[in-house]
Amino acid sequence: MDLSDVELNMDSLERTSGYDPTVEDSTANIQLPDPDRYPRFLRGFVWKDSTSSHFVCPSAVASESAPPLPSPPSSILSDPSTVSALSDHSHLFRVVTPIKIDRFASLLSSHPNRAFVDSVINGLRNGFWPPADDDPNSYRSSRDFPQRPLSPSSLDFVRSQCEEEESLGRFSEPFATADDPLLPGMISVPVHTVPKKSGKLRLVVDHSAGEFSPNSHIAREDVHNALDTVQHLGQNLLHFLSLHGYSPRWLFKSDVSQAYRRLPMHPAWQMRQVVTVDGVRRVDRCNNFGGVRWTLPAPSNSLISHPNSSSCLP
């Protein structure tokens, strides 16, 4: 938005920001202070100039220079307990995604950053691996976090979510009860619910709880994302206006539903995503927003959610 299109209460603005703006004419052209002194609700949403020199899309630009995504290290893939579990219980650990990988790859055939694109395609085919500690000795043989108490309504909701995920193939079928020991190398992460503003519930899979949690093996410095924001949308609208002399009549938002859950994790990482609910254990096979220290980097999601890739989804 351009500042001339915003009606501001001058008294409120002066009290909030601590400066005395001047109004030059009836169009309310405001002499702006240092951006750090804007009222909080305006920060990032005020442009001094009515034009912008170019369109911006940080996540797409980041994909041009992003390093390749990591693969499971050989120390994990050669670990005897991991090899045994994946071999003896292969039905639990599947790489599942609705993305049409061959079509996706063909659409990105001209992308300049081949190493990065190839790593994303490899992740879709074989499962993604976060930038986690590659020393098997840093993991306990298994880690079973206590189940968190759930109210009857929360338990009903979580049960239904687990059944839905299982029907989509993103959860394995139940393979054990809470009284049965985990396989060596497995981690059972706790789950709970939080209310949404709508009053509905949201399922939370906590990958950060306690010692030896999945997230504890991911260094904070390895977590970085370049996201497209509403501020970038504003800059792009101003640039469109400068090019064409009018604002677009319609705006369309391109999105991928359940984007994180469309992304499969490597079977060796799936071992660290066991979910135990109501005394029943399942393997979570896909990327989980509960992995707050790492989610598939935004440049990767920008490739998957790009309009040219829309035909890659069912």
Side-chain angles (χ1 to χ4, degrees):
M1 67 184 74
D2 190 356
L3 187 62
S4 61
D5 296 328
V6 180
E7 293 184 6
L8 296 176
N9 183 303
M10 293 297 101
D11 292 336
S12 174
L13 186 63
E14 181 176 353
R15 288 195 305 270
T16 308
S17 62
Y19 75 98
D20 185 15
T22 61
V23 179
E24 297 179 350
D25 54 37
S26 59
T27 60
N29 294 317
I30 300 174
Q31 295 179 0
L32 297 173
D34 184 275
D36 291 337
R37 299 181 63 194
Y38 291 159
R40 181 171 298 180
F41 73 92
L42 284 180
R43 292 174 189 172
F45 295 96
V46 176
W47 289 266
K48 292 185 178 181
D49 300 321
S50 60
T51 61
S52 179
S53 61
H54 59 280
F55 291 116
V56 292
C57 183
S59 61
V61 172
S63 74
E64 298 178 359
S65 59
L69 300 179
S71 297
S74 58
S75 58
I76 293 292
L77 297 180
S78 62
D79 177 57
S81 62
T82 300
V83 172
S84 176
L86 297 181
S87 175
D88 296 343
H89 305 274
S90 58
H91 64 288
L92 297 178
F93 310 102
R94 292 172 44 208
V95 177
V96 294
T97 180
I99 296 173
K100 300 174 183 178
I101 303 173
D102 290 339
R103 175 59 176 160
F104 177 73
S106 69
L107 291 173
L108 295 172
S109 60
S110 61
H111 193 285
N113 190 350
R114 295 312 313 167
F116 175 69
V117 170
D118 291 345
S119 72
V120 174
I121 294 172
N122 177 69
L124 291 172
R125 295 190 190 281
N126 301 302
F128 292 97
W129 180 268
D133 188 343
D134 64 354
D135 181 7
N137 294 323
S138 69
Y139 293 89
R140 286 187 176 180
S141 59
S142 63
R143 184 73 169 93
D144 193 1
F145 287 92
Q147 299 180 64
R148 290 175 176 166
L150 298 171
S151 68
S153 59
S154 292
L155 182 57
D156 287 342
F157 169 75
V158 173
R159 281 199 200 105
S160 66
Q161 289 293 106
C162 290
E163 291 169 358
E164 179 181 354
E165 291 292 306
E166 185 180 343
S167 70
L168 295 171
R170 299 192 297 224
F171 275 12
S172 73
E173 64 273 20
F175 68 92
T177 69
D179 295 328
D180 297 321
L182 294 167
L183 297 174
M186 277 187 166
I187 297 177
S188 179
V189 292
V191 301
H192 62 275
T193 62
V194 294
K196 299 179 181 180
K197 291 183 178 179
S198 64
K200 297 181 179 180
L201 295 174
R202 183 191 306 277
L203 177 65
V204 177
V205 182
D206 192 347
H207 283 215
S208 298
E211 294 183 309
F212 303 100
S213 67
N215 281 342
S216 68
H217 299 278
I218 301 174
R220 291 183 180 275
E221 56 269 22
D222 291 331
V223 182
H224 47 82
N225 272 324
L227 300 175
D228 299 338
T229 67
V230 176
Q231 288 90 338
H232 300 120
L233 172 62
Q235 183 173 339
N236 290 335
L237 289 175
L238 290 175
H239 184 54
F240 183 96
L241 178 64
S242 70
L243 291 176
H244 302 284
Y246 61 90
S247 299
R249 186 177 297 273
W250 296 97
L251 292 176
F252 295 90
K253 182 178 183 292
S254 176
D255 197 6
V256 176
S257 66
Q258 303 177 352
Y260 289 108
R261 300 296 289 159
R262 308 283 186 181
L263 306 175
M265 299 306 291
H266 191 278
W269 189 259
Q270 293 178 28
M271 292 181 62
R272 297 160 176 81
Q273 295 191 162
V274 174
V275 173
T276 304
V277 172
D278 197 24
V280 175
R281 301 194 192 277
R282 296 176 175 89
V283 173
D284 185 354
R285 296 164 171 162
C286 296
N287 189 27
N288 202 300
F289 202 71
V292 292
R293 289 195 188 173
W294 185 85
T295 51
L296 186 65
S300 310
N301 281 326
S302 74
L303 298 182
I304 294 171
S305 61
H306 192 279
N308 287 344
S309 301
S310 58
S311 60
C312 300
L313 292 169

